[in-house]
Amino acid sequence: MIIAVDGPAASGKGTLAEGLACHYGLPHLDTGLLYRAVGLAVADLEDQPGFEEAAIAAARALDASHLQDIEELTNARTGVLASKVAVIGPVRQALFDYQRAFATQPGGALLDGRDIGTRICPDADVKLFIQADSKARMERRARQLEKRGQVVDRYALFHQIEERDARDMANPHGGFYKADDAHLLDTTLLDIEAALRAAIAIVDRTMALKAGH
Ligand code: C5P
């Protein structure tokens, strides 16, 4: 079984994806980490000549060893760098192959990101599109960062999320929209347990329908 989970920054898709992968015993790939690792590799060249070429080379050289420093990869600044490399076509192409290989491993997989249901796994068995309003997303991300001991400027964080949303929505190579056959789950008013229960119900129902029950 392949499950695709998409949604905007801090929509709760990462936590939900982890819970679903654990529930169904599927290997999980957080595809945002790939873009973040590429962004981090070229941070010194941000907004300078050579940024694109360096990002393409970093994407082609990417392997699992670049995905270890979760603290550095998941900070807000790296999210902005990720959205800057994510608009470069050849970067997406290099990461496409990595994601496809993960998705098609025997036994299935769960991938979360922005374009999983539209571009990476249009053939996924179940597609979920997670959304939540911008303020709720900012507050969740702020609490995550605070839990890690980081000091959070909520105003700046809100703008970073909006900036990232805007760049993502304008991404010409994106596909950052809900696939026609994706199930919409709005988590604005749900805590993680309720959101996970709702997502499991969607997956079970979809798989039962597919099996003809
Ligand atoms: O999901 P996360 O917030 O970690 O993603 C960071 C950035 O990576 C996104 O804002 C987006 O620009 C890019 N991304 C992407 N395609 C994906 C996952 C993430 O372009 N499948």
Side-chain angles (χ1 to χ4, degrees):
M1 168 166 73
I2 299 179
I3 303 180
V5 180
D6 287 305
S11 56
K13 67 181 184 311
T15 316
L16 257 186
E18 265 172 36
L20 281 174
C22 180
H23 182 81
Y24 293 104
L26 291 170
H28 167 215
L29 180 63
D30 169 355
T31 64
L33 284 184
L34 308 179
Y35 292 89
R36 286 169 179 268
V38 174
L40 203 53
V42 295
D44 292 346
L45 286 172
E46 188 182 8
D47 301 329
Q48 287 176 45
F51 180 75
E52 267 199 43
E53 291 71 20
I56 295 165
R60 290 183 179 148
L62 190 85
D63 63 40
S65 69
H66 298 104
L67 308 177
Q68 306 303 321
D69 189 351
I70 294 297
E71 185 104 343
E72 181 95 61
L73 286 169
T74 52
N75 73 37
R77 172 87 200 97
T78 311
V80 173
L81 282 163
S83 69
K84 291 189 177 180
V85 300
V87 296
I88 305 168
V91 165
R92 302 199 76 80
Q93 185 53 46
L95 298 185
F96 178 90
D97 299 337
Y98 189 105
Q99 294 169 85
R100 248 343 262 180
F102 190 91
T104 54
Q105 63 187 292
L110 184 149
L111 289 81
D112 79 85
R114 298 286 194 292
D115 59 348
I116 309 302
T118 50
R119 298 265 163 92
I120 308 295
C121 300
D123 52 345
D125 296 289
V126 189
K127 299 179 187 177
L128 291 161
F129 192 89
I130 314 301
Q131 70 178 24
D133 75 28
S134 308
K135 266 204 182 142
R137 293 194 279 133
M138 181 280 287
E139 193 51 42
R140 276 184 202 153
R141 186 49 59 89
R143 290 200 191 139
Q144 254 175 16
L145 296 172
E146 282 169 350
K147 252 194 195 161
R148 286 193 220 136
Q150 295 183 26
V151 178
V152 177
D153 173 346
R154 281 174 163 66
Y155 182 78
L157 184 62
F158 186 75
H159 283 281
Q160 253 169 0
I161 289 180
E162 296 240 299
E163 181 198 341
R164 206 136 70 81
D165 279 353
R167 195 176 294 113
D168 284 348
M169 294 319 286
N171 188 336
H173 311 286
F176 296 171
Y177 47 84
K178 178 186 156 309
D180 287 342
D181 53 348
H183 301 268
L184 184 67
L185 180 57
D186 190 317
T187 64
T188 306
L189 301 174
L190 301 179
D191 62 20
I192 179 59
E193 288 81 15
L196 184 57
R197 274 197 305 276
I200 290 172
I202 292 170
V203 175
D204 286 349
R205 202 169 56 236
T206 308
M207 293 310 284
L209 277 173
K210 278 195 165 211
H213 299 309

